[in-house]
Structure formats: structure tokens, C-alpha cells
Amino acid sequence: MSVEFDNLLKEATEGVKPPDYMIRLYNFIGKIPLKLGVVIFLLTGIDTIKVATRALRKRTDAAIQVLYDYKFRPWRLIWGIGDHFWQMSYNCRSVRARGIFTREAIKILLRAASKNEVAKIDVVSLGSGSGSQMLQGIADNNFSSDNIYLTLVDNDFRALEMGRINARKLNIEDLIDTREISVGRFLREKKPESTDLFEMVGLTDYFNNDRFSRYLEDIYKALKKGGFFIGANISSEEEAIYAHGVACWPQMYYRGKVRIQRFLNMAGFTDISNMWISKCGLYTFWIVQK
């Protein structure tokens, strides 16, 4: 299975890193004093306004959706060019690569989980946001309510409502349930060894080490034997000055491959043969099997 993920990652990250001089330029703008970089960011695009205002309100799921949905819009004239400039940053490219990998990896994992001879696959998306990538992966697998049950977990009712709308558009609304609850509380309520697949891509960016460690342990306990867990955490600070100094992105906890593997080991995922960890742009993905 690791070969499949390696090939998928190669496709998802093709052309993801911009030239080094562009990364330096984005970070240079982030260093401009008196928040003038933020002013430039807001005045030179339309997507930029959506991203910054949502990030400031800590609606990062909605801000990321702007990045997922990006396409060049020449009718925006100078602001269309501005949006293109900002959307070609390493951060934005990495988010889109992360989305592609998540969507396609979910398809592979669902097919693997369906071979475990369970009546219905229990899938949980933690900090799901609108669940766009997870939902698309399920829709592409042509599952029905007879063989899969997906729970979208988020403490923002607006994100969950968008998730329901997305599911409706994909004709899979009858496959999902939504829980407006914190991740910690949800995991505490989850029965041991009850879940076939956990997805938590990006949410751990905002967890300190204590919460990160605790939630990994809870996920391990809730996974069935043979169950899968896919997650991703931002790991490279190459464009951090730009992200936090211009795009108004909230604080994040950066973790690389070695640290992530150590946390997974401490949580109970100790079998290296059932562990895949690799870099996807500015992020590091992991896929582990209990």
C-alpha cells in the first residue's frame, strides 16, 4: 500500500514548490513594518480579502476552501492578477496538494477498510470543516448507506452546515451524520475499538503538544484492530513569515516527520511496517494502521 501512497504523493505535489526567489519575496512582504504587508495583501486581490477576514475570525476551514476553489479569473482585471500572485505561494499550493492527496488517499483507505469484512465501515472526520475532500472521496467510491457511516465532527455549526450541503450535492447526504462538539469530548465519548477510519488532516496544526499527544492516544483506543488513521500537520516554516505576517493566519504548531513519528509511537502506533509518513509541500502526512 505504501507504493500507492508514494505514487499518489508524487502526482499531488508535482510543481507544488515555487522558485526560491518567490518564497523570499513573499516572506519579504511579510516583514514590512506597520502591517503594510497586510494592506498590500488586502488591496491587491479579492480572494485575499476572503482569506484574511476568515483567518482573523479563526474560520480557517472557510479560508482554506477559498484556496481549494481557486481558478484564475481574468474578469477581475488587476485583482485577478493579484489573486493569482498570492494563490501561487508555497502555502496555497501546499494546501491544494494536501487536498488532492487527502481525497485520493481516502479512496484507497476506504477500499482497504471494506475488505475487513465489516457490515458497515465506521468513518470519522475530526475537525471536518465542510468535509469537502472526505465527502468527494466517499462519493467517488460509490458507497451506500448499507456499507458506510461517516461522522463529521466540528465545533462550528456553520462548517457542518456546509458539509451537509456538500453531501447533498454529491447525493450522499444519507451516509453522513454531523456532531457539533469538540474533538476532545467526542473522542472521550467514542467507544473503544469502534472506528474503522479516522481522518484528521490539518487540525493538529492548532494543537499544542499535550493536546496532540492526548488526542492521538484517544484515536488509537477508538480504532478497531486493522483500522486506519490519516492525518497531516504543517511541518515547514519556509513561508511562515508570509502566512502569519501577511495572510493573518493564526498561530500554528510546526512538526516534522521525526516528531510526528515519536508522538504516534507514544500513542501506541509502534509497528513501523504499518506506518507511512511523508512530506507534502509544507505539510507532513501520516497514514497508520492499528
Side-chain angles (χ1 to χ4, degrees):
M1 189 180 295
S2 61
V3 175
E4 283 187 277
F5 294 133
D6 287 337
N7 293 335
L8 174 56
L9 186 68
K10 184 177 180 181
E11 294 176 12
T13 57
E14 184 175 0
V16 70
K17 185 174 182 178
D20 289 341
Y21 72 86
M22 290 301 295
I23 297 175
R24 289 195 296 269
L25 175 59
Y26 289 121
N27 284 329
F28 171 78
I29 297 172
K31 293 179 181 178
I32 297 176
L34 302 177
K35 295 295 182 180
L36 291 179
V38 178
V39 175
I40 294 171
F41 184 69
L42 294 173
L43 291 179
T44 53
I46 295 174
D47 286 350
T48 56
I49 297 172
K50 296 177 182 177
V51 169
T53 54
R54 294 172 185 181
L56 282 168
R57 290 154 50 201
K58 297 189 176 180
R59 291 289 316 284
T60 53
D61 62 300
I64 283 175
Q65 197 61 48
V66 177
L67 309 185
Y68 283 153
D69 296 340
Y70 175 69
K71 58 183 178 180
F72 181 59
R73 299 175 175 90
W75 57 89
R76 289 182 176 178
L77 305 176
I78 189 68
W79 296 279
I81 296 172
D83 279 334
H84 182 72
F85 172 76
W86 296 112
Q87 288 273 14
M88 289 300 104
S89 71
Y90 201 2
N91 276 281
C92 295
R93 294 185 194 205
S94 295
V95 167
R96 285 190 286 272
R98 187 185 75 175
I100 293 169
F101 183 84
T102 301
R103 183 183 67 238
E104 299 304 317
I106 287 296
K107 297 178 188 179
I108 297 171
L109 293 172
L110 287 173
R111 288 196 295 270
S114 66
K115 296 177 182 178
N116 289 344
E117 299 182 357
V118 294
K120 185 177 289 192
I121 306 170
D122 187 290
V123 183
V124 175
S125 177
L126 297 170
S128 62
S130 65
S132 57
Q133 306 309 308
M134 169 66 82
L135 293 169
Q136 189 64 59
I138 288 177
D140 289 346
N141 271 40
N142 296 316
F143 282 107
S144 71
S145 57
D146 292 330
N147 48 31
I148 194 167
Y149 179 78
L150 167 65
T151 305
L152 301 179
V153 179
D154 205 296
N155 58 9
D156 188 335
F157 75 93
R158 295 166 296 186
L160 294 175
E161 180 57 31
M162 185 53 65
R164 284 188 284 267
I165 292 171
N166 288 339
R168 197 174 306 130
K169 290 178 180 177
L170 294 168
N171 296 315
I172 58 171
E173 190 176 13
D174 59 333
L175 309 187
I176 74 165
D177 184 23
T178 58
R179 292 287 309 278
E180 185 184 341
I181 189 174
S182 70
V183 168
R185 183 178 172 188
F186 176 84
L187 288 172
R188 287 194 298 272
E189 294 177 358
K190 193 69 174 164
K191 293 180 180 179
E193 299 190 354
S194 60
T195 304
D196 297 285
L197 171 62
F198 274 108
E199 177 267 325
M200 188 166 60
V201 172
L203 182 64
T204 58
D205 297 350
Y206 311 102
F207 293 158
N208 62 29
N209 288 339
D210 287 341
R211 291 179 69 194
F212 184 51
S213 179
R214 184 167 67 252
Y215 293 164
L216 291 185
E217 291 175 1
D218 290 341
I219 288 169
Y220 182 84
K221 292 174 185 175
L223 267 180
K224 293 179 182 177
K225 183 67 175 177
F228 297 98
F229 171 34
I230 175 172
N233 200 116
I234 193 160
S235 54
S236 173
E237 297 186 61
E238 288 177 77
E239 260 188 15
I241 296 171
Y242 156 69
H244 304 298
V246 176
C248 306
W249 213 259
Q251 177 189 358
M252 293 188 287
Y253 295 88
Y254 293 78
R255 300 180 178 94
K257 179 178 178 179
V258 173
R259 291 187 68 200
I260 289 170
Q261 182 171 336
R262 186 165 65 246
F263 276 107
L264 288 169
N265 290 159
M266 290 189 300
F269 298 100
T270 55
D271 188 347
I272 302 300
S273 64
N274 287 332
M275 181 180 297
W276 180 91
I277 306 178
S278 196
K279 191 94 176 289
C280 178
L282 295 173
Y283 295 86
T284 293
F285 263 96
W286 64 85
I287 297 173
V288 290
Q289 185 177 23
K290 183 174 179 180

